[in-house]
Amino acid sequence: MIAVTNYTDNELLTLLKSDSNSAFVEIYNRYWASLYTAAYRRIKSRELAEEIIQDIFTNLWINRLTIDIRYSLHSYLHTAIRNAVLNHLEKEEVRERWKAYLKALSNDSDDSLEAIITSNDLSALVEREVEKLPLKCREVYQLSRKEHLPNKEIAARLQISEKTVESHLTKALKTLKLQLKDSLLSLLV
């Protein structure tokens, strides 16, 4: 193994490009601490800083034969760390926004589910009260509200006058309103 500790960065790069493990180890030992400090200062996570540095050195080794460092190794590595940290922070921000979106969506779904349950409860409650109405009154109410027939058609179908249809509807609605008043309050609360 060649003693490379006194070599300049340019000499180490030349050796690295000719597949020198000892040049790579020297670069690693020479820059690891300063790169770690730069990464940790920005992300405040020991494990993450080490992982980012590991990725930088892994890429350096993988691309050692084709790497083109125009200025200095120091600048190249610190720029790589800065970019890796910024990429990480950007990904985290996107992750956080996505989590917030999903949480908001979940809350909307929870509200929708609650609205559906309340609506179903309300429908069941109205059905029970409609069943308690007198027969003719109930028939008129169901034809009007469920089948959406106009009063004239209801009158013709049941062979009663339109005024009687209106009277039955008014009676049904007034009865339902009184019967459901207390139940609606407890259901809504």
Side-chain angles (χ1 to χ4, degrees):
M1 199 175 216
I2 307 167
V4 291
T5 53
N6 295 327
Y7 281 37
T8 65
D9 286 353
N10 287 338
E11 291 170 329
L12 289 173
L13 280 173
T14 303
L15 285 174
L16 183 66
K17 286 185 176 193
S18 59
D19 244 358
S20 170
N21 287 341
S22 57
F24 178 77
V25 170
E26 178 58 26
I27 292 170
Y28 185 90
N29 291 335
R30 196 176 283 186
Y31 286 101
W32 190 92
S34 65
L35 295 175
Y36 173 81
T37 302
Y40 182 80
R41 220 179 24 235
R42 289 184 178 103
I43 56 177
K44 306 291 189 237
S45 167
R46 203 176 102 230
E47 295 82 14
L48 207 49
E50 289 173 357
E51 186 178 316
I52 289 172
I53 292 167
Q54 199 61 37
D55 288 344
I56 297 296
F57 281 114
T58 301
N59 286 333
L60 180 65
W61 179 253
I62 290 171
N63 298 312
R64 69 190 176 281
L65 302 176
T66 58
I67 199 160
D68 184 25
I69 299 176
R70 295 174 192 247
Y71 301 106
S72 72
L73 181 59
H74 177 271
S75 296
Y76 174 84
L77 292 173
H78 281 274
T79 300
I81 279 293
R82 187 188 77 229
N83 291 340
V85 167
L86 290 175
N87 285 342
H88 168 75
L89 294 174
E90 190 176 302
K91 285 178 188 173
E92 279 302 306
E93 185 180 329
V94 168
R95 244 184 236 120
E96 289 304 314
R97 282 197 313 250
W98 183 246
K99 283 180 191 176
Y101 170 75
L102 289 177
K103 185 176 182 182
L105 190 63
S106 172
N107 286 344
D108 288 350
S109 297
D110 291 347
D111 292 346
S112 299
L113 182 59
E114 190 173 316
I116 290 169
I117 291 170
T118 301
S119 175
N120 288 343
D121 289 348
L122 182 60
S123 295
L125 188 60
V126 168
E127 281 302 313
R128 282 194 303 272
E129 293 304 322
V130 166
E131 290 302 315
K132 295 177 185 176
L133 292 172
L135 181 62
K136 276 289 184 202
C137 197
R138 181 176 49 217
E139 284 178 324
V140 168
Y141 176 85
Q142 288 175 331
L143 290 172
S144 172
R145 295 303 188 253
K146 288 188 176 179
E147 294 184 30
H148 307 289
L149 297 177
N151 290 354
K152 192 173 189 173
E153 251 185 83
I154 295 171
R157 190 179 282 189
L158 297 178
Q159 298 175 347
I160 54 177
S161 72
E162 278 187 64
K163 282 283 185 199
T164 306
V165 168
E166 288 173 18
S167 173
H168 280 305
L169 271 177
T170 302
K171 182 179 177 184
L173 293 172
K174 187 184 279 185
T175 303
L176 289 173
K177 186 177 178 180
L178 285 171
Q179 295 299 323
L180 297 173
K181 185 176 160 187
D182 295 332
S183 300
L184 282 176
L185 259 139
S186 65
L187 186 64
L188 294 175
V189 170

